Amino acid sequence: MENKREDRLQRLLHALKKADKIHLNEAAQLLDVSQMTVRRDLNGTASPLILLGGYIVIDPKNSPATHYFVSEQKMRQTAEKRRLGKQAAMLVNDDDLVFFDCGTTTPYIIENIPDERTFTAICYSFNTFLALQDKPNCEVIMCGGKYRASNSIFIPFGKSSSELNNTLPDKAFISAAGVSLEYGVSCFNFDELLMKHQALQCAREKILVVDSSKFGKVRPASIAPLSEFSTLVTDTAPDKSFVDYCRESNVGLIY
């Protein structure tokens, strides 16, 4: 019984990758159990979820402000992320080897890849892995290392231990929290830089996927100049200065 409860809780956590809350009735339908069973699961020991106003959410104790925020950031710009996820997913072709970065936008890309698409994916984020395992024709390569709960990633112990060293991805989808013409592309978390940089070095097509709220922002950890990317995918047309920069730097712009 306890194993079944843990399985149901994991399925709810998986569903909460794409939404900030799930109604109790919707959760019961998803799990094919009664609402009372869901309530008992949530009230049991060590549940990472709680029920607030009829909605299931991640317990705030399990998502402090220092998290980047798989919990906090996934609630922001969800409509924009859905739109650009559809755009980015169209770039994945049969037989591609694709690197998928961490971040809350990445699951939307994976969700929109057709189930019949046959491809190989390499990732280092637990949330990304959970999304990829739902794709029936995807072979997943998971990079190992030390787990960082704050942004749900695995960090290699050294450059020689990364599976990326032995692969040449056709495409790399890179996420970011800031895009500046002066300071380049950046993110919050320095722990992500090793894998982002390795992916940019070995991938043939480097695709930056960011929603429009990231333009003009500068974050602490530097990823690369915008000109290093072959394609920029976003949800709406950026300011003319970004459009001009992309044209002059031969960066494809998709929105």
Side-chain angles (χ1 to χ4, degrees):
M1 292 293 292
E2 185 62 22
N3 287 340
K4 290 183 178 180
R5 172 181 177 262
E6 291 178 1
D7 179 66
R8 289 192 293 266
L9 290 173
Q10 285 300 318
R11 289 175 64 187
L12 290 175
L13 283 168
H14 189 188
L16 283 166
K17 298 197 316 290
K18 302 170 185 174
D20 60 319
K21 59 187 178 182
I22 301 174
H23 195 274
L24 177 62
N25 181 54
E26 181 184 353
Q29 293 178 2
L30 173 67
L31 301 174
D32 195 24
V33 297
S34 67
Q35 292 187 26
M36 183 59 67
T37 297
V38 178
R39 287 180 182 272
R40 282 199 297 265
D41 288 348
L42 299 178
N43 291 331
T45 58
S47 171
L49 307 172
I50 59 174
L51 188 63
L52 289 177
Y55 288 89
I56 298 169
V57 298
I58 294 177
D59 189 335
K61 295 192 298 293
N62 295 311
S63 56
T66 54
H67 271 43
Y68 163 71
F69 329 89
V70 172
S71 55
E72 178 186 345
Q73 294 297 319
K74 73 181 178 186
M75 302 177 192
R76 300 182 175 180
Q77 277 75 45
T78 55
E80 292 86 344
K81 291 173 182 177
R82 286 191 180 95
R83 288 200 299 271
L84 67 92
K86 291 179 180 179
Q87 295 286 344
M90 291 189 292
L91 300 175
V92 178
N93 299 316
D94 280 327
D95 301 320
D96 273 349
L97 172 59
V98 186
F99 171 84
F100 290 96
D101 202 357
C102 63
T104 54
T105 299
T106 304
Y108 291 102
I109 302 174
I110 298 165
E111 180 185 72
N112 284 284
I113 298 173
D115 285 348
E116 62 271 19
R117 182 78 69 228
T118 300
F119 65 103
T120 301
I122 182 167
C123 65
Y124 67 109
S125 163
F126 185 61
N127 285 354
T128 303
F129 170 78
L130 288 177
L132 286 166
Q133 71 172 356
D134 287 339
K135 292 296 164 181
N137 292 305
C138 175
E139 182 177 3
V140 185
I141 301 170
M142 181 70 179
C143 298
K146 186 174 182 179
Y147 183 64
R148 284 278 190 265
S150 60
N151 50 352
S152 189
I153 66 172
F154 292 87
I155 305 172
F157 287 103
K159 291 185 178 181
S160 61
S161 66
S162 172
E163 287 76 4
L164 266 176
N165 284 341
N166 301 310
T167 61
L168 293 171
D170 297 287
K171 300 176 177 73
F173 289 100
I174 304 296
S175 61
V179 183
S180 164
L181 296 182
E182 182 177 1
Y183 296 102
V185 181
S186 56
C187 62
F188 285 103
N189 202 314
F190 289 94
D191 289 337
E192 300 173 11
L193 291 181
L194 175 60
M195 298 300 286
K196 291 178 188 288
H197 288 167
Q198 285 190 352
L200 288 172
Q201 289 171 4
C202 64
R204 280 173 278 177
E205 187 174 351
K206 306 162 182 61
I207 304 165
L208 177 63
V209 184
V210 291
D211 66 74
S212 52
S213 70
K214 308 302 190 299
F215 290 107
K217 303 291 177 59
V218 179
R219 305 307 184 189
S222 175
I223 299 172
L226 179 56
S227 58
E228 284 198 18
F229 293 87
S230 49
T231 306
L232 168 61
V233 182
T234 188
D235 60 290
T236 189
D239 290 343
K240 185 176 182 300
S241 58
F242 284 95
V243 175
D244 291 343
Y245 181 94
C246 288
R247 183 173 59 251
E248 294 165 4
S249 303
N250 294 317
V251 177
L253 181 59
I254 300 174
Y255 56 87

